[in-house]
Amino acid sequence: MEQFADDLRSNLASRPIRLRQEEVLYRLRKFLRRRWLPVAAVTLALAGLCGGVIIAQRQRALAERRFQQVRSLANRLFDIDEKVQALPGSTAARQTIAGTSLEYLDRLSKEAGNDPALMAELATAYGRTASVLGRHGQPSLGKWSEALQALEKADGLLRAAVQISPQDRSLRRHFLRNRAELVTLRAMGQNYDGDSATRAVELSREVDRFVAGGPPGPGDLALAGGVYFGAANILLNGTRVRESRRLMDLGLDYRRRYAEAANTPQASLLLAIALRKYGTNLRYDGELDQAVAALEESLRIVEGLPEDARTLLERGNILYFLGVVRGEIDGLSLGQHKAAEAELAESINLWRGMVQADPKDLTARTYFAQNAQKLGRLVSLHDPKQGLVVIEEGLGIISDAPPGNVRSNYLLRLWCDSVVPLNLLGRQAQARTRLGKAMEILRQAKANPFNEATPTGTADVVLRAQAETEAEAGNYAKAIGIREETIRAYRAGKIKDEDDLQHALGLSNQWRDLADLYRKAGDEESARQCDAKRLAFWRAWNIRRPGNQFVLMQLTALKG
């Protein structure tokens, strides 16, 4: 009776009775009936959670599909760019590719999350976009500020990726390569100031540490060579020639090792570029024969590569620098004017073809104008009429370039360079008109020629042209005053005549021209004093740099 009573009480309380204790489903029904309220609440909660998970998964899958589609489209655009960039006349098409890709990349960057591989991929795409917009030594639109922004976005992505995966050498290699491009482009915009040089040195030390971290593979060799040369070029443009030479020695060694290890046309082209830069550095160091040897080796490599826009551009660069080393007027050269004229003429023909093939290529226009300066002055020595034709063509090419510092700089230089043939042809009025245009550019830049005078600056080009024009008109006193004031500005300003060979030559040339003016004005004593200063100056250089080829050339010419 007691058990029966218990079963009745259990049934009333929705608990299982004794006879059915082993039945699982029966016990579960009783439990659910007894605890229906909390069970219902839990069930509803689980149902909601499961539904949310399912919806979130669907949304994530949809987002990932969209992300992959956009990423695939951006990559396809760059695959097209890879094929297009080697074709002459492709700059406009590459601009369309760059603009379209930037839209996708900016959208992707916001959704990249913390995936280092994806961040690296996006950074690569930003870097390739920068090369279209504005990268020195490549066909581009000259949009340096936009290129800089793209590289800065890549830098931010890569910095974050390296922090997530600090042991990934491939990722660090990518970061350093992009950082080198960024430092170089910033330096161009900052006129290679002291901060630029400091960043370049820091970058080279970071690469030192990276390479020392393990046996370098082909990728490490390529990275080290590129970064060392980039840093060296910044130091060279900042007139820190000796420091630049050390980094270029390192860079050339890595470039040779990479070309041997990779054995590809691209690696060979990089070696040719390295040799061209190395030869340029040797020129600034006064080692002219060695510079010619490096440039000739570079030319042989390029001539053995398949011809496309990149190899044509590099061939034009090499021929230009060969001409400059052999016979640039008033420059660090061997004085071989005839050979220099032939090489510069061949180089300018290449640039002319590239400008005609792609009128929007600012790089080709800039190099054409630069070449026209050197060639025009050389030709004017024996044929001022033809020399003026060369300079006029350069003016026409650069006048059609987009407004900006590059255009203004070369317009000023070419207007001043045209003064020499115009004066020789007896067209002094036109010479003075050109000088007035050049002075207007300086006024717009709020520059005082004497305050800004350095042997390689644009203000110095104007002062030289002014002095030559006054001398041609017989105004020797005025021309002498300009030369003397220029020398005072050199010595009081940024000129580094005791450790920079090009600055030293600029000062020596001012003394030479001043002596010539004194003689024309009948003041032989002052002329002899100028000659004596030049001789003492180069003797002091010979003590500091014994056996330097260019220094010995100057001493030989003065003693002869």
Side-chain angles (χ1 to χ4, degrees):
M1 291 297 293
E2 286 180 8
Q3 290 177 354
F4 181 67
D6 285 342
D7 283 344
L8 288 175
R9 283 193 292 270
S10 295
N11 186 59
L12 290 173
S14 296
R15 291 194 300 270
I17 62 175
R18 294 174 183 271
L19 292 176
R20 304 183 67 178
Q21 287 282 355
E22 304 301 325
E23 298 180 26
V24 176
L25 290 176
Y26 167 74
R27 291 172 61 84
L28 180 59
R29 284 200 307 272
K30 289 292 184 181
F31 175 79
L32 292 175
R33 186 178 298 171
R34 190 171 66 251
R35 303 289 185 182
W36 70 271
L37 186 61
V39 167
V42 170
T43 301
L44 287 173
L46 287 172
L49 181 61
C50 290
V53 169
I54 291 170
I55 293 171
Q57 287 177 338
R58 287 179 178 174
Q59 289 176 338
R60 186 180 301 111
L62 180 61
E64 287 178 356
R65 282 198 300 272
R66 288 175 179 170
F67 190 86
Q68 292 295 338
Q69 289 168 356
V70 175
R71 181 170 62 177
S72 174
L73 180 57
N75 286 337
R76 287 181 182 181
L77 285 169
F78 281 114
D79 288 340
I80 295 170
D81 175 73
E82 192 72 33
K83 296 180 175 66
V84 166
Q85 67 176 327
L87 302 175
S90 63
T91 308
R94 298 187 74 203
Q95 169 60 39
T96 302
I97 292 170
T100 306
S101 298
L102 276 175
E103 294 178 15
Y104 293 132
L105 293 173
D106 288 342
R107 190 184 311 165
L108 287 169
S109 296
K110 296 174 183 178
E111 304 174 14
N114 294 319
D115 184 345
L118 183 56
M119 291 175 174
E121 186 176 347
L122 289 168
T124 297
Y126 274 121
R128 294 171 74 179
T129 305
S131 70
V132 179
L133 295 168
R135 182 165 290 178
H136 186 65
Q138 293 184 8
S140 72
L141 293 172
K143 296 187 175 182
W144 312 114
S145 60
E146 293 179 33
L148 185 62
Q149 290 174 11
L151 289 174
E152 285 172 342
K153 290 176 182 178
D155 184 70
L157 286 164
L158 290 168
R159 184 182 297 278
V162 168
Q163 289 175 349
I164 296 170
S165 302
Q167 302 304 318
D168 189 332
R169 282 184 66 82
S170 176
L171 204 55
R172 287 186 61 206
R173 187 187 303 122
H174 193 171
F175 171 70
L176 290 170
R177 188 181 298 112
N178 186 80
R179 168 60 54 147
E181 294 287 352
L182 182 59
V183 168
T184 297
L185 204 58
R186 279 178 178 164
M188 289 173 62
Q190 296 168 350
N191 295 318
Y192 303 97
D193 59 11
D195 289 340
S196 299
T198 299
R199 283 192 289 268
V201 171
E202 290 174 352
L203 181 64
S204 69
R205 289 172 179 165
E206 194 167 352
V207 173
D208 288 341
R209 293 190 291 270
F210 175 75
V211 175
D220 299 327
L221 296 174
L223 168 73
V227 173
Y228 284 132
F229 264 103
N233 192 58
I234 293 171
L235 293 173
L236 182 62
N237 281 287
T239 68
R240 294 167 65 165
V241 180
R242 304 301 291 171
E243 293 174 79
S244 173
R245 174 72 179 274
R246 183 186 70 83
L247 292 181
M248 282 203 178
D249 284 336
L250 285 170
L252 183 59
D253 176 62
Y254 277 105
R255 278 288 186 245
R256 288 192 187 280
R257 291 166 62 187
Y258 174 59
E260 183 178 348
N263 193 27
T264 63
Q266 176 64 16
S268 296
L269 179 60
L270 290 174
L271 175 58
I273 294 170
L275 283 162
R276 186 250 302 165
K277 292 179 178 179
Y278 190 69
T280 303
N281 187 279
L282 289 171
R283 170 186 173 242
Y284 285 114
D285 212 20
E287 302 298 341
L288 304 182
D289 285 340
Q290 293 181 44
V292 168
L295 289 165
E296 288 179 337
E297 182 184 355
S298 177
L299 186 61
R300 286 193 297 273
I301 293 172
V302 167
E303 288 177 339
L305 295 174
E307 186 176 287
D308 59 25
R310 289 167 295 185
T311 54
L312 280 175
L313 184 148
E314 188 54 35
R315 189 162 181 267
N317 269 331
I318 297 165
L319 288 166
Y320 168 80
F321 282 108
L322 268 172
V324 168
V325 175
R326 289 200 204 275
E328 180 188 14
I329 296 175
D330 291 342
L332 296 167
S333 77
L334 293 164
Q336 299 169 359
H337 294 160
K338 188 175 181 179
E341 190 175 320
E343 285 160 341
L344 288 171
E346 187 177 353
S347 176
I348 207 170
N349 282 336
L350 287 171
W351 298 124
R352 185 182 293 110
M354 295 185 77
V355 171
Q356 290 170 350
D358 191 354
K360 293 185 178 181
D361 186 353
L362 181 60
T363 300
R365 286 184 179 276
T366 301
Y367 285 157
F368 187 97
Q370 186 181 49
N371 209 314
Q373 282 183 264
K374 311 295 186 186
L375 182 59
R377 293 192 71 193
L378 270 173
V379 174
S380 295
L381 289 176
H382 60 83
D383 189 347
K385 186 175 181 179
Q386 186 57 36
L388 184 60
V389 168
V390 174
I391 293 170
E392 293 287 351
E393 188 180 8
L395 280 166
I397 292 292
I398 202 64
S399 294
D400 291 336
N405 291 338
V406 172
R407 179 177 179 272
S408 297
N409 176 53
Y410 281 103
L411 279 176
L412 181 148
R413 289 178 178 272
L414 285 162
W415 279 329
C416 290
D417 286 332
S418 67
V419 165
V420 173
L422 284 170
N423 281 325
L424 290 172
L425 293 168
R427 294 157 62 177
Q428 278 81 26
Q430 285 182 267
R432 290 187 181 277
T433 298
R434 294 287 175 84
L435 272 174
K437 291 181 177 181
M439 286 298 299
E440 180 58 29
I441 290 178
L442 286 183
R443 279 193 290 271
Q444 290 176 1
K446 298 180 180 179
N448 181 323
F450 290 114
N451 289 342
E452 302 292 328
T454 63
T456 55
T458 51
D460 190 70
V461 175
V462 176
L463 292 170
R464 183 196 71 212
Q466 284 181 322
E468 289 172 351
T469 300
E470 296 298 342
E472 192 67 27
N475 300 325
Y476 298 126
K478 197 166 185 179
I480 287 170
I482 293 171
R483 294 288 185 190
E484 288 179 335
E485 187 62 30
T486 301
I487 292 172
R488 281 193 289 272
Y490 280 3
R491 308 313 291 269
K494 298 178 181 178
I495 181 172
K496 301 177 181 179
D497 56 288
E498 292 187 354
D499 56 16
D500 186 285
L501 196 53
Q502 183 153 286
H503 279 190
L505 177 62
L507 179 59
S508 175
N509 287 342
Q510 290 292 339
W511 279 324
R512 178 203 64 196
D513 294 337
L514 188 55
D516 183 58
L517 287 170
Y518 277 132
R519 287 192 172 92
K520 290 179 178 178
D523 188 349
E524 185 62 33
E525 178 57 31
S526 294
R528 281 197 296 269
Q529 290 178 8
C530 288
D531 291 339
K533 287 178 181 178
R534 287 183 71 205
L535 183 59
F537 181 72
W538 288 114
R539 281 175 173 168
W541 258 90
N542 193 39
I543 292 172
R544 288 195 300 274
R545 303 282 296 282
N548 182 274
Q549 182 182 6
F550 188 78
V551 173
L552 293 175
M553 286 172 58
Q554 301 308 300
L555 286 172
T556 301
L558 283 166
K559 292 175 182 177

